[in-house]
Amino acid sequence: MKGKFIVIEGIDGCGKTTQIDHLSKWLPNSGLIKNGSKLITTREPGGSHLGKRLRRMILDNNEKNKPSSLAELLLYSADRAEHVSKIISPALNNNDWVISDRFSDSTLAYQGYGRNINLEIIKNIESIVCQGESPDLTFFLEISPEESIFRRKNEIPDRIESEGIKFLEKVNEGFKLIAKEKNWIVISASQNIETISNQIKEILLKNFSDKK
């Protein structure tokens, strides 16, 4: 028996962190997680000890420290390889549940569609670093690039968030294509927080209540 692996995807500002916080309070008492199992919440980049150091490198706004597009891809891949090895796989093999703020398809959206790196190259790298792990369910919280920028107007942007609306438009289109291809659960993130939260909970109950 393995635990369940849930991923929440979307462009910055879509509300992933808020929804994961809601789920972390609800899921342990939802009846979905078996007795003796735990809920692990994590994120990419930065889910592991090494990942935290890589996150600082990846998102550093200092122009002198900006990696090339290929180096950026490989840094994200190193973060994911460590994340899977040290956090995700051990938890799932222990029959725990894992909810991650982003996983491999964020790389496909940002570095593939956003940076125009060959998609097949990215998929080949991911087939190694994911080590056989893939989400049981992925939620795509969908907002427009304009709404993303508006929601973050009072925040200090990291390097990726500073790329501007044209980059964000390409990433968002990438997410839409991936969501359609992989049959993700698409939820409008323009709704209020409670409505989104309730929709996610209903879908989890529908998909996993008979598979405990």
Side-chain angles (χ1 to χ4, degrees):
M1 288 288 292
K2 289 187 71 172
K4 300 300 180 186
F5 183 20
I6 312 300
V7 172
I8 300 186
E9 295 279 12
I11 59 177
D12 295 301
C14 69
K16 294 182 280 73
T17 302
T18 299
Q19 293 305 323
I20 289 173
D21 183 59
H22 278 226
L23 284 175
S24 69
K25 295 179 174 67
W26 173 78
L27 260 173
N29 301 308
S30 67
L32 293 175
I33 300 178
K34 295 181 67 173
N35 290 336
S37 298
K38 303 188 297 294
L39 173 64
I40 309 297
T41 59
T42 187
R43 68 176 180 175
E44 291 195 353
S48 65
H49 290 301
L50 174 61
K52 289 180 175 64
R53 298 200 296 274
L54 290 171
R55 182 183 179 87
R56 289 194 294 270
M57 295 171 61
I58 291 169
L59 301 181
D60 186 350
N61 248 329
N62 188 327
E63 189 66 25
K64 293 179 181 178
N65 297 332
K66 182 178 180 179
S68 67
S69 294
L70 181 57
E72 180 183 85
L73 167 65
L74 295 174
L75 285 169
Y76 275 111
S77 298
D79 168 78
R80 183 161 301 121
E82 186 76 353
H83 193 208
V84 171
S85 296
K86 297 291 180 66
I87 306 296
I88 296 173
S89 287
L92 295 176
N93 291 333
N94 195 45
N95 204 25
D96 294 330
W97 281 49
V98 176
I99 299 179
S100 184
D101 180 340
R102 302 196 183 285
F103 192 55
S104 58
D105 288 309
S106 270
T107 298
L108 205 57
Y110 279 86
Q111 280 66 54
Y113 290 95
R115 301 285 192 216
N116 299 316
I117 296 177
N118 184 286
L119 299 181
E120 289 307 313
I121 290 175
I122 295 175
K123 290 176 182 178
N124 287 337
I125 293 172
E126 292 306 305
S127 69
I128 298 170
V129 302
C130 291
Q131 301 163 67
E133 301 292 4
S134 61
D136 292 288
L137 203 61
T138 298
F139 293 93
F140 174 38
L141 303 186
E142 185 177 9
I143 58 170
S144 68
E146 292 81 7
E147 178 69 12
S148 167
I149 290 171
F150 175 77
R151 290 185 181 189
R152 296 181 286 111
K153 67 181 186 299
N154 295 322
E155 300 174 7
I156 298 173
D158 61 38
R159 185 177 60 81
I160 302 298
E161 292 170 341
S162 300
E163 292 288 349
I165 193 164
K166 294 299 183 185
F167 176 74
L168 204 55
E169 285 172 347
K170 293 196 293 183
V171 172
N172 201 43
E173 285 306 308
F175 268 129
K176 290 179 182 179
L177 291 170
I178 298 165
K180 185 176 182 180
E181 177 188 344
K182 297 193 174 184
N183 295 314
W184 288 356
I185 306 298
V186 180
I187 295 177
S188 170
S190 297
Q191 304 172 95
N192 68 61
I193 291 170
E194 288 299 327
T195 299
I196 297 168
S197 180
N198 288 334
Q199 288 177 4
I200 292 173
K201 291 171 185 176
E202 287 173 11
I203 291 162
L204 289 173
L205 287 168
K206 179 181 177 181
N207 279 270
F208 300 122
S209 59
D210 295 326
K211 304 175 185 180
K212 292 184 285 184

